[in-house]
Amino acid sequence: MDEFLKAAYEEAQKGLAEGGIPIGSVIVHDGKIIGRGHNRRVQQGSPILHGEMDAFENAGRQPAVVYRESVIYTTLSPCSMCTGAILLYGIPKVVVGENKTFMGDEELLRQRGVEVEVVQDPECIAMMQRFIEQHPDVWNEDIGV
């Protein structure tokens, strides 16, 4: 696992330790993390604080060029909402920890010219499988089922 996916994984673990859903994300610009976050829907009672959205929030207001030169790392394939934010801010590359437990809108990202790299990291897969098995109701709520 590379250092940035590892940072996203550590964010996911923080979310799990807080009683939330273990999905983490970091935004990297020029080799440095400018935003990190994890799914905090349960903890904050929020309908939108997915890992990627939290990372955007924590990156704060950035010039458009910064986002257009950044890479977002996420432990899980980005959902429609997070895909929309990635497209809105022009992030050119997404590194996905895994898409076996959930397939987000990767095809839309690719159609819009975003490079999508899927790692299929065993630790990311195992973490989500365990969570889904132990908390199917919370998981289904998160993905809108």
Side-chain angles (χ1 to χ4, degrees), residues 50 57 78 92 122:
H50 283 193
E57 180 70 19

Side-chain angles (χ1 to χ4, degrees), residues 102-137:
F102 177 79
M103 173 61 76
D105 279 338
E106 294 174 21
E107 191 54 38
L108 177 59
L109 289 166
R110 288 184 182 101
Q111 288 172 359
R112 297 282 297 274
V114 176
E115 179 184 350
V116 179
E117 177 185 332
V118 181
V119 177
Q120 300 300 19
D121 180 80
E123 291 179 76
C124 290
I125 295 167
M127 178 174 55
M128 282 310 303
Q129 285 176 334
R130 277 191 307 274
F131 183 82
I132 292 167
E133 288 170 13
Q134 294 171 358
H135 306 281
D137 54 333

